[in-house]
Amino acid sequence: MVDKRAVDDVTFQVKKGEIFGLLGPNGAGKTTTIKMLCTLLLPTSGDASVLGKSILKDDKDIRKRINLVSGGERGLYYRLTGRQNLRFFSELYGIPPATREARIEELLQLVGLGHAADVRVEDYSRGMKQRMHIARALVNDPDILFLDEPTIGLDPEISRDIRALVKKMADNGTTILLTTHYMFEAEELCDRIAVINNGKIVAMGTAQELKDLVKSSTVIEVVTVLDPQECFESLKQTPGVMNVVSDRFSGRHLNRFQVEKREELFDVINDALRPYRIVRAGYDEPTLEDTYISLVSHNEL
Amino acid sequence: MNYRASLAGFKQAFINFIADPQWIIPSIIAPFIFTIVALMIYNDSSGPVVLQAVLGGGVLGMWGNTLYSSGWSISYDRYNGTLEPLMVSPTKIMDVVAGRAVWHTIIGLSNAVLVFVVAEIMFDTSLTLQNPLLFFAVLIMTLFSLASIGLIFSAFFVLTRTSSVLMSSLEFPIYVVSGALFPVTLLPSWASWVSLGLAPAWGVDAMRYAAFGAFETMDLLTDVGVMIILIVAYLVIAAGLFRRIERNVRSHGNMGRF
């Protein structure tokens, strides 16, 4: 058993109606943070305040006004229909029968599952289950909604639908705390983002403010035909090279080098990648992903 | 106690019963087999011995059903990954589990009826109950005593992912010490002491009195009184256990695992 602090002295505030993102690599402490704020997990020390109440002492009061959506397929009763699931969870929150059915119908329409309301959840697709998770989490009309990687494993179209739903919820005044691995998702949705690594917050601000943290750097983007992974290690040792990210697209390799603003580095990188058949090379502004990689690989700027 | 949550648990168990045919095994097939075995053991006997066999078969079926349902109650949430959404809600898990337990108590009652039908039709036992109303009342209380023991087990099942192993190991000892198949006076004295702490054992005794008719009022009142005290004690213990175990689970944050 590894003795490791999952979350260490994390402090942040989320404003009412804000979409706040927690970004970080696997095991960084995002889910642990969310679970503590949802009162599912007790901190070994310290406290947190949710809606002005202590997660240690006022867990029952907090639970009435929050809800949680976790990514993945589980979290619904498979043998029950979508409507029966929503009815069950509504009853746990004490939603009066007079308003319950109308609310359930409204939620089913909101998540686009009106047509599948009376189908058993075991017959739902992955995307339908995730939308049902969101409907389930809205039964108590929560003031704060915690979304733990809500689009993980979903296809792009369903992910876009889920993001649209999240925006709609925020427009309706729900405060949202979101964890995600996807930079574009964080950038598209979040008013502010905290980057968490090894249980500590290493940076916090709007997407632009985070990108500004690396404005002293630039990105050299080189597209190659062959995979140049083998030369990355030596390039990373080159003074001025901060990090390297490589992705495949359309059969090519898109290699992004975050570097200090020094002219000679362009030639150094191009020389190193020439054997891998360069298609094009140029400068780019650091994206949120470049910033994130820089933050989690160095932990500080 | 949150009655709405218990009602939700009750309705959910009912829907699941309809949706999942595997329930036929503990609810119909098992008590059917228990009764046949019991009646075959006591074949060629008559009167009180046959009644003992029928009572035994009924109680064994009800106990098996209670144990299965209490283990199921939490494993069901583990399997579906719904323990976390349950715990995020302001409802206590015990309230939901209690509602499910009440549903299974009702199913337990159907076990009892089935056992009597099997005894009459297949074995022609010609049983007559001297005090049917009293018998029925004590039977209901015995079912609730089983359900309240089931709640205690459910609390433990929150902690473990191996509830099926626990259920199997708990099933047979209760058959013996509850006095379901034979009077506990036949057991070694230490086993009789164990049965004193088991509400169903007092219930079986009271059912015997109600069925045979010849009893001292004080004896019946003692059985019923002790059973009520034990049911209340079980409920208090279950509530305390659920509270402690929920806190324990919150300390480890492992309720999402299956």
Side-chain angles (χ1 to χ4, degrees):
Chain A
M1 194 164 182
V2 181
D3 187 16
K4 184 192 166 196
R5 284 190 187 186
V7 174
D8 189 4
D9 200 22
V10 163
T11 303
F12 61 90
Q13 287 189 325
V14 181
K15 293 174 211 149
K16 190 176 184 321
E18 190 177 23
I19 303 183
F20 187 88
L22 274 178
L23 277 182
N26 288 329
K30 307 184 298 291
T31 299
T32 305
T33 305
I34 275 208
K35 280 189 174 177
M36 285 193 290
L37 295 174
C38 286
T39 76
L40 282 175
L41 187 60
L42 288 167
T44 47
S45 65
D47 196 355
S49 170
V50 176
L51 295 159
K53 295 181 183 295
S54 157
I55 58 165
L56 298 179
K57 297 176 202 144
D58 310 313
D59 52 309
K60 201 172 173 191
D61 291 337
I62 291 172
R63 288 174 189 185
K64 287 177 189 163
R65 297 173 59 192
I66 64 161
N67 219 318
L68 166 72
V69 176
S70 298
E73 299 219 33
R74 297 168 70 236
L76 295 163
Y77 294 103
Y78 280 17
R79 294 270 179 170
L80 271 57
T81 66
R83 191 189 303 279
Q84 286 166 342
N85 266 280
L86 294 184
R87 207 174 273 151
F88 173 75
F89 283 103
S90 299
E91 285 168 345
L92 296 192
Y93 284 89
I95 313 293
T99 55
R100 190 170 58 218
E101 293 307 311
R103 172 82 181 147
I104 288 171
E105 203 52 53
E106 186 187 320
L107 290 175
L108 286 165
Q109 298 308 324
L110 177 76
V111 299
L113 286 175
H115 64 288
D118 299 309
V119 173
R120 282 190 193 170
V121 168
E122 62 189 351
D123 294 324
Y124 280 14
S125 68
R126 179 95 190 254
M128 289 165 83
K129 281 177 193 153
Q130 195 58 7
R131 281 186 278 160
M132 183 50 71
H133 278 306
I134 291 180
R136 195 236 342 115
L138 292 175
V139 292
N140 60 326
D141 195 11
D143 293 325
I144 303 179
L145 189 60
F146 294 91
L147 301 171
D148 191 9
E149 299 182 15
T151 59
I152 194 163
L154 298 179
D155 66 46
E157 200 181 349
I158 302 291
S159 299
R160 195 185 53 208
D161 290 349
I162 300 286
R163 286 197 295 278
L165 259 176
V166 172
K167 280 185 200 161
K168 207 185 278 184
M169 289 184 285
D171 291 343
N172 290 339
T174 310
T175 304
I176 291 169
L177 203 153
L178 167 92
T179 74
T180 181
H181 278 121
Y182 306 127
M183 302 302 132
F184 65 93
E185 185 165 282
E187 196 159 6
E188 182 184 333
L189 291 176
C190 299
D191 298 310
R192 283 188 308 139
I193 297 163
V195 178
I196 186 165
N197 193 28
N198 292 326
K200 290 176 185 286
I201 288 183
V202 293
M204 186 159 49
T206 62
Q208 189 55 51
E209 283 167 350
L210 292 182
K211 283 189 269 187
D212 286 348
L213 291 174
V214 292
K215 66 183 174 190
S216 61
S217 67
T218 189
V219 170
I220 296 170
E221 191 177 274
V222 185
V223 178
T224 56
V225 175
L226 303 175
D227 187 358
Q229 291 275 352
E230 59 197 18
C231 73
F232 286 170
E233 273 313 307
S234 62
L235 276 173
K236 277 184 197 168
Q237 307 304 320
T238 308
V241 176
M242 296 158 74
N243 63 66
V244 187
V245 183
S246 183
D247 261 328
R248 279 199 71 137
F249 83 100
S250 306
R252 303 282 164 86
H253 295 268
L254 174 65
N255 311 290
R256 291 173 63 85
F257 298 81
Q258 194 179 348
V259 296
E260 289 171 8
K261 286 180 175 166
R262 283 161 46 184
E263 291 287 327
E264 71 274 16
L265 286 171
F266 190 85
D267 294 332
V268 171
I269 288 169
N270 271 278
D271 288 346
L273 266 61
R274 194 154 292 122
Y276 304 96
R277 294 170 57 192
I278 295 174
V279 178
R280 69 164 190 274
Y283 285 101
D284 194 10
E285 288 297 307
T287 62
L288 185 60
E289 184 167 359
D290 296 317
T291 310
Y292 167 82
I293 300 280
S294 177
L295 285 167
V296 299
S297 55
H298 302 297
N299 254 14
E300 55 187 17
L301 288 169
Chain B
M1 185 97 186
N2 179 345
Y3 296 104
R4 263 190 192 154
S6 296
L7 185 61
F10 178 89
K11 285 193 283 190
Q12 186 194 40
F14 164 72
I15 293 167
N16 205 68
F17 185 86
I18 304 292
D20 191 350
Q22 66 151 323
W23 282 105
I24 291 171
I25 297 168
S27 305
I28 310 287
I29 296 174
F32 181 82
I33 292 171
F34 284 138
T35 309
I36 289 175
V37 169
L39 287 167
M40 286 172 82
I41 291 171
Y42 293 104
N43 202 13
D44 298 331
S45 302
S46 60
V49 178
V50 173
L51 187 64
Q52 173 79 41
V54 175
L55 269 182
V59 172
L60 296 191
M62 291 188 294
W63 172 241
N65 192 41
T66 301
L67 199 54
Y68 188 77
S69 62
S70 61
W72 165 82
S73 204
I74 296 300
S75 331
Y76 177 59
D77 281 303
R78 281 198 183 280
Y79 173 75
N80 287 292
T82 43
L83 261 185
E84 280 190 357
L86 258 186
M87 288 195 73
V88 167
S89 81
T91 298
K92 291 178 190 155
I93 292 182
M94 181 173 161
D95 293 342
V96 177
V97 172
R100 292 172 182 166
V102 171
W103 165 254
H104 292 291
T105 301
I106 291 171
I107 293 302
L109 189 59
S110 73
N111 284 352
V113 172
L114 182 77
V115 162
F116 278 96
V117 171
V118 168
E120 283 300 313
I121 295 174
M122 291 183 64
F123 291 85
D124 192 23
T125 49
S126 306
L127 291 170
T128 44
L129 299 174
Q130 297 302 317
N131 291 289
L133 275 179
L134 182 60
F135 181 87
F136 191 72
V138 176
L139 172 68
I140 298 284
M141 285 176 65
T142 307
L143 278 164
F144 274 101
S145 75
L146 286 164
S148 54
I149 296 179
L151 275 181
I152 294 176
F153 291 140
S154 290
F156 282 115
F157 293 152
V158 176
L159 279 182
T160 177
R161 284 179 275 176
T162 54
S163 58
S164 57
V165 176
L166 270 175
M167 280 191 299
S168 301
S169 59
L170 286 169
E171 195 166 3
F172 288 92
I174 302 292
Y175 289 171
V176 177
V177 291
S178 67
L181 274 179
F182 46 83
V184 285
T185 48
L186 297 177
L187 295 170
S189 58
W190 62 265
S192 313
W193 281 103
V194 173
S195 71
L196 288 179
L198 284 175
W202 295 89
V204 169
D205 212 36
M207 278 195 281
R208 236 181 254 132
Y209 287 142
F212 299 153
F215 59 87
E216 296 292 327
T217 308
M218 201 54 210
D219 290 340
L220 180 78
L221 286 178
T222 304
D223 282 341
V224 171
V226 174
M227 182 159 55
I228 290 171
I229 290 167
L230 285 172
I231 289 173
V232 172
Y234 293 162
L235 291 176
V236 171
I237 291 168
L241 273 175
F242 266 103
R243 223 178 4 255
R244 283 188 74 110
I245 286 169
E246 278 185 36
R247 196 157 180 89
N248 181 300
V249 167
R250 281 181 69 202
S251 297
H252 295 97
N254 58 359
M255 74 285 284
R257 293 179 193 157
F258 176 64

PDB file of all heavy atoms in Angstrom, chain A residues 166-178:
ATOM      1  N   VAL A 166     -24.529  20.989 -20.143  1.00  0.00           N
ATOM      2  CA  VAL A 166     -23.839  21.631 -19.008  1.00  0.00           C
ATOM      3  C   VAL A 166     -24.002  23.146 -19.103  1.00  0.00           C
ATOM      4  O   VAL A 166     -24.298  23.834 -18.116  1.00  0.00           O
ATOM      5  CB  VAL A 166     -22.345  21.228 -18.982  1.00  0.00           C
ATOM      6  CG1 VAL A 166     -21.580  22.031 -17.940  1.00  0.00           C
ATOM      7  CG2 VAL A 166     -22.199  19.729 -18.711  1.00  0.00           C
ATOM      8  N   LYS A 167     -23.844  23.674 -20.335  1.00  0.00           N
ATOM      9  CA  LYS A 167     -24.005  25.125 -20.521  1.00  0.00           C
ATOM     10  C   LYS A 167     -25.418  25.559 -20.170  1.00  0.00           C
ATOM     11  O   LYS A 167     -25.634  26.579 -19.520  1.00  0.00           O
ATOM     12  CB  LYS A 167     -23.719  25.488 -21.983  1.00  0.00           C
ATOM     13  CG  LYS A 167     -22.240  25.594 -22.308  1.00  0.00           C
ATOM     14  CD  LYS A 167     -22.098  26.078 -23.746  1.00  0.00           C
ATOM     15  CE  LYS A 167     -20.725  25.740 -24.272  1.00  0.00           C
ATOM     16  NZ  LYS A 167     -20.656  25.752 -25.732  1.00  0.00           N
ATOM     17  N   LYS A 168     -26.378  24.736 -20.592  1.00  0.00           N
ATOM     18  CA  LYS A 168     -27.784  25.064 -20.315  1.00  0.00           C
ATOM     19  C   LYS A 168     -28.037  25.108 -18.803  1.00  0.00           C
ATOM     20  O   LYS A 168     -28.715  25.999 -18.298  1.00  0.00           O
ATOM     21  CB  LYS A 168     -28.689  24.008 -20.970  1.00  0.00           C
ATOM     22  CG  LYS A 168     -30.063  24.520 -21.332  1.00  0.00           C
ATOM     23  CD  LYS A 168     -30.954  23.417 -21.861  1.00  0.00           C
ATOM     24  CE  LYS A 168     -30.733  23.107 -23.325  1.00  0.00           C
ATOM     25  NZ  LYS A 168     -31.702  22.081 -23.814  1.00  0.00           N
ATOM     26  N   MET A 169     -27.432  24.144 -18.098  1.00  0.00           N
ATOM     27  CA  MET A 169     -27.618  24.108 -16.633  1.00  0.00           C
ATOM     28  C   MET A 169     -27.013  25.348 -15.993  1.00  0.00           C
ATOM     29  O   MET A 169     -27.586  25.934 -15.082  1.00  0.00           O
ATOM     30  CB  MET A 169     -26.973  22.836 -16.054  1.00  0.00           C
ATOM     31  CG  MET A 169     -27.733  21.579 -16.418  1.00  0.00           C
ATOM     32  SD  MET A 169     -27.044  20.118 -15.660  1.00  0.00           S
ATOM     33  CE  MET A 169     -25.602  19.818 -16.615  1.00  0.00           C
ATOM     34  N   ALA A 170     -25.829  25.723 -16.481  1.00  0.00           N
ATOM     35  CA  ALA A 170     -25.176  26.919 -15.931  1.00  0.00           C
ATOM     36  C   ALA A 170     -26.001  28.161 -16.233  1.00  0.00           C
ATOM     37  O   ALA A 170     -26.141  29.044 -15.383  1.00  0.00           O
ATOM     38  CB  ALA A 170     -23.769  27.046 -16.501  1.00  0.00           C
ATOM     39  N   ASP A 171     -26.569  28.216 -17.449  1.00  0.00           N
ATOM     40  CA  ASP A 171     -27.431  29.355 -17.804  1.00  0.00           C
ATOM     41  C   ASP A 171     -28.638  29.434 -16.881  1.00  0.00           C
ATOM     42  O   ASP A 171     -29.183  30.501 -16.635  1.00  0.00           O
ATOM     43  CB  ASP A 171     -27.910  29.234 -19.260  1.00  0.00           C
ATOM     44  CG  ASP A 171     -26.765  29.444 -20.243  1.00  0.00           C
ATOM     45  OD1 ASP A 171     -25.725  29.985 -19.810  1.00  0.00           O
ATOM     46  OD2 ASP A 171     -26.897  29.048 -21.419  1.00  0.00           O
ATOM     47  N   ASN A 172     -29.058  28.265 -16.393  1.00  0.00           N
ATOM     48  CA  ASN A 172     -30.211  28.235 -15.468  1.00  0.00           C
ATOM     49  C   ASN A 172     -29.799  28.571 -14.033  1.00  0.00           C
ATOM     50  O   ASN A 172     -30.605  28.472 -13.117  1.00  0.00           O
ATOM     51  CB  ASN A 172     -30.885  26.870 -15.504  1.00  0.00           C
ATOM     52  CG  ASN A 172     -31.600  26.629 -16.814  1.00  0.00           C
ATOM     53  OD1 ASN A 172     -31.933  27.568 -17.528  1.00  0.00           O
ATOM     54  ND2 ASN A 172     -31.824  25.367 -17.156  1.00  0.00           N
ATOM     55  N   GLY A 173     -28.534  28.899 -13.827  1.00  0.00           N
ATOM     56  CA  GLY A 173     -28.086  29.362 -12.510  1.00  0.00           C
ATOM     57  C   GLY A 173     -27.421  28.309 -11.641  1.00  0.00           C
ATOM     58  O   GLY A 173     -27.085  28.576 -10.484  1.00  0.00           O
ATOM     59  N   THR A 174     -27.220  27.095 -12.177  1.00  0.00           N
ATOM     60  CA  THR A 174     -26.570  26.059 -11.365  1.00  0.00           C
ATOM     61  C   THR A 174     -25.059  26.288 -11.348  1.00  0.00           C
ATOM     62  O   THR A 174     -24.461  26.540 -12.397  1.00  0.00           O
ATOM     63  CB  THR A 174     -26.859  24.660 -11.970  1.00  0.00           C
ATOM     64  OG1 THR A 174     -28.263  24.543 -12.186  1.00  0.00           O
ATOM     65  CG2 THR A 174     -26.367  23.547 -11.063  1.00  0.00           C
ATOM     66  N   THR A 175     -24.487  26.233 -10.173  1.00  0.00           N
ATOM     67  CA  THR A 175     -23.024  26.309 -10.061  1.00  0.00           C
ATOM     68  C   THR A 175     -22.472  24.928 -10.411  1.00  0.00           C
ATOM     69  O   THR A 175     -22.999  23.914  -9.944  1.00  0.00           O
ATOM     70  CB  THR A 175     -22.617  26.679  -8.619  1.00  0.00           C
ATOM     71  OG1 THR A 175     -23.268  27.899  -8.281  1.00  0.00           O
ATOM     72  CG2 THR A 175     -21.110  26.830  -8.486  1.00  0.00           C
ATOM     73  N   ILE A 176     -21.427  24.913 -11.225  1.00  0.00           N
ATOM     74  CA  ILE A 176     -20.928  23.607 -11.684  1.00  0.00           C
ATOM     75  C   ILE A 176     -19.438  23.479 -11.405  1.00  0.00           C
ATOM     76  O   ILE A 176     -18.653  24.389 -11.695  1.00  0.00           O
ATOM     77  CB  ILE A 176     -21.223  23.416 -13.182  1.00  0.00           C
ATOM     78  CG1 ILE A 176     -22.734  23.263 -13.369  1.00  0.00           C
ATOM     79  CG2 ILE A 176     -20.508  22.176 -13.741  1.00  0.00           C
ATOM     80  CD1 ILE A 176     -23.222  23.323 -14.777  1.00  0.00           C
ATOM     81  N   LEU A 177     -19.083  22.355 -10.788  1.00  0.00           N
ATOM     82  CA  LEU A 177     -17.668  22.031 -10.593  1.00  0.00           C
ATOM     83  C   LEU A 177     -17.375  20.786 -11.422  1.00  0.00           C
ATOM     84  O   LEU A 177     -17.988  19.749 -11.233  1.00  0.00           O
ATOM     85  CB  LEU A 177     -17.377  21.783  -9.112  1.00  0.00           C
ATOM     86  CG  LEU A 177     -15.921  21.980  -8.720  1.00  0.00           C
ATOM     87  CD1 LEU A 177     -15.814  22.376  -7.260  1.00  0.00           C
ATOM     88  CD2 LEU A 177     -15.093  20.749  -8.962  1.00  0.00           C
ATOM     89  N   LEU A 178     -16.465  20.956 -12.372  1.00  0.00           N
ATOM     90  CA  LEU A 178     -16.258  19.934 -13.400  1.00  0.00           C
ATOM     91  C   LEU A 178     -14.816  19.439 -13.377  1.00  0.00           C
ATOM     92  O   LEU A 178     -13.891  20.240 -13.277  1.00  0.00           O
ATOM     93  CB  LEU A 178     -16.562  20.607 -14.740  1.00  0.00           C
ATOM     94  CG  LEU A 178     -16.168  19.951 -16.039  1.00  0.00           C
ATOM     95  CD1 LEU A 178     -17.330  19.104 -16.539  1.00  0.00           C
ATOM     96  CD2 LEU A 178     -15.854  20.994 -17.092  1.00  0.00           C
TER      97      LEU A 178
END
